[in-house]
Amino acid sequence: AQSVTQPDARVTVSEGASLQLRCKYSYFGTPYLFWYVQYPRQGLQLLLKYYPGDPVVQGVNGFEAEFSKSNSSFHLRKASVHWSDWAVYFCAVSMTSGSWQLIFGSGTQLTVMP
Amino acid sequence: GPKVLQIPSHQIIDMGQMVTLNCDPVSNHLYFYWYKQILGQQMEFLVNFYNGKVMEKSKLFKDQFSVERPDGSYFTLKIQPTALEDSAVYFCASSLVDIYAEQFFGPGTRLTVL
């Protein structure tokens, strides 16, 4: 069955440090992949999306992600974290079999230390 | 950017009562979704709605659930009767086009069934 795993429930980094949030997916076809961010008391906002093509995708606020078919991964990266990046990050996959639903990971809470 | 609103932000009701969760989607969007997130678990797809019809639903979308969007007003999720296991945060989303399009999410309604 299709699934998304975010193995790290919580990640803590210092402001200015680099960041990687991990995402592994399980899907038999060609996935469409998304990273969303949720700030407190707000809805999910799209950071970036991957459609088949260039494996490295650029998103908003300096985020990027790299798709790896061999590793079934779609890790999110940022070169220098800002305190405003403190939020919960969700990885999601959209099935390409005619379904509208997004399948989400359990989320990673990012804490940014001064 | 475009915003999805959800009313109320928190609802507390007794088991067996009816509840209606309201969503005000992005004004020109055509596809509407509900997702459910139980505390500490992954967000899961419930239903997708387009042109007055349910297009797809998951096994979580029980017979007690219904959705509608009368006359282009709120997109609603009704649960009648409610059960204890319906306690969760319900997220509404909308998109302009269909599969693979970015879904815009509301901040969620926390439903507590006593």
Side-chain angles (χ1 to χ4, degrees), chain B residues 22-42:
Chain B
N22 298 293
C23 172
D24 187 8
V26 178
S27 60
N28 61 338
H29 284 188
L30 302 174
Y31 295 80
F32 312 107
Y33 315 78
W34 283 103
Y35 290 80
K36 176 183 180 182
Q37 186 179 34
I38 295 175
L39 187 63
Q41 299 184 23
Q42 285 156 289

Side-chain angles (χ1 to χ4, degrees), chain B residues 40-78:
Chain B
Q41 299 184 23
Q42 285 156 289
M43 191 179 312
E44 294 185 273
F45 171 82
L46 282 176
V47 67
N48 164 250
F49 187 84
Y50 168 71
N51 198 27
K53 292 180 287 193
V54 171
M55 304 301 291
E56 182 185 14
K57 59 184 180 180
S58 72
K59 61 181 183 298
L60 295 179
F61 194 77
K62 304 180 296 184
D63 291 342
Q64 298 91 324
F65 288 37
S66 63
V67 290
E68 64 176 357
R69 191 180 187 221
D71 302 322
S73 59
Y74 286 148
F75 174 51
T76 63
L77 173 66
K78 183 186 293 186

